[in-house]
């Protein structure tokens, strides 16, 4: 269960902080390298954890960056690497087209840069997208967070991994 939670968290980090997060999951954009992982992880820290240490050498900073990237790569490895993530994401997209549409619209219109620009009277971006899709705002949010869990579960399923390797 701990590996699954870490896998979902890794997917969420990419979706939330990588400028092309969804494209990374779909294999349409290069996955994060060590430097990008370091940036993503630093953005996820609470503001009180961003501590500047004077006197640290560049090699210490590089080692920290590489260690963080290695840990994230191990987590992605539990899902069959980025190819496993891509295959699982494509399978979820094909198996659950309505859920996928809700997920993508939430990413684009609610979390995206344009989210603040959506204005439909007194509706928030989330309420406007939900109304457009004819679902409740709660359902929209549930679908947003369900898709990465489905991707992780599908990618981590041993039977599914065996099919990918065959």
């Amino acid at each position: 269960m701990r590996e699954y939670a870490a896998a979902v968290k890794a997917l969420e980090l990419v979706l939330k902080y990588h400028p092309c997060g969804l494209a990374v999951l779909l294999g349409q954009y290069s996955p994060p390298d060590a430097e990008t992982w370091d940036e993503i992880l630093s953005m996820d820290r609470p503001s009180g954890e961003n501590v500047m240490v004077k006197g640290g050498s560049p090699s210490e900073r590089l080692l920290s960056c590489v260690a963080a990237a290695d840990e994230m790569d191990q987590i992605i490895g539990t899902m069959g690497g980025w190819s496993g993530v891509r295959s699982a994401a494509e399978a979820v997209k094909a198996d659950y087209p309505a859920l996928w549409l809700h997920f993508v619209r939430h990413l684009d219109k609610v979390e995206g840069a344009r989210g603040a620009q959506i204005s439909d009277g007194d509706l928030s971006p989330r309420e406007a997208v939900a109304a457009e899709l004819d679902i409740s705002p709660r359902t929209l949010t549930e679908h947003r967070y369900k898709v990465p869990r489905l991707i992780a579960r599908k990618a981590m399923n041993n039977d599914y991994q065996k099919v990918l390797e065959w």
Side-chain angles (χ1 to χ4, degrees):
M1 191 62 159
R2 180 176 277 164
E3 284 181 345
Y4 170 73
V8 172
K9 177 69 174 178
L11 296 178
E12 286 291 349
L13 286 170
V14 171
L15 287 167
K16 185 172 182 179
Y17 297 115
H18 194 287
C20 301
L22 183 57
V24 170
L25 268 57
L26 291 170
Q28 300 166 346
Y29 196 89
S30 300
D33 59 12
E35 185 177 340
T36 305
W37 272 126
D38 188 54
E39 291 172 16
I40 288 170
L41 293 169
S42 70
M43 287 187 271
D44 191 52
R45 289 185 197 110
S47 59
E49 287 186 35
N50 290 335
V51 178
M52 297 295 287
V53 178
K54 290 187 179 182
S57 70
S59 62
E60 288 172 346
R61 176 76 176 125
L62 178 62
L63 285 174
S64 172
C65 177
V66 169
D70 283 347
E71 182 178 350
M72 297 311 295
D73 287 341
Q74 287 176 0
I75 292 168
I76 297 300
T78 66
M79 293 184 281
W82 287 107
S83 64
V85 171
R86 183 193 71 245
S87 296
E90 289 172 353
V92 170
K93 180 180 178 181
D95 293 345
Y96 306 97
L99 192 75
W100 186 267
L101 173 65
H102 301 167
F103 166 70
V104 171
R105 296 289 289 162
H106 191 288
L107 289 176
D108 184 40
K109 299 294 184 182
V110 178
E111 294 179 33
R114 293 182 282 165
Q117 297 175 3
I118 294 177
S119 178
D120 190 12
D122 293 328
L123 298 179
S124 70
R126 185 180 130 211
E127 292 167 332
V129 170
E132 176 186 315
L133 296 170
D134 198 27
I135 59 174
S136 72
R138 180 178 178 173
T139 298
L140 179 67
T141 300
E142 287 172 358
H143 291 179
R144 156 56 184 96
Y145 291 101
K146 186 173 188 170
V147 169
R149 293 192 311 262
L150 287 170
I151 294 170
R153 186 172 312 278
K154 191 170 283 282
M156 294 179 82
N157 181 326
N158 288 334
D159 293 333
Y160 185 71
Q161 286 300 327
K162 290 175 188 172
V163 169
L164 288 177
E165 293 168 6
W166 188 68

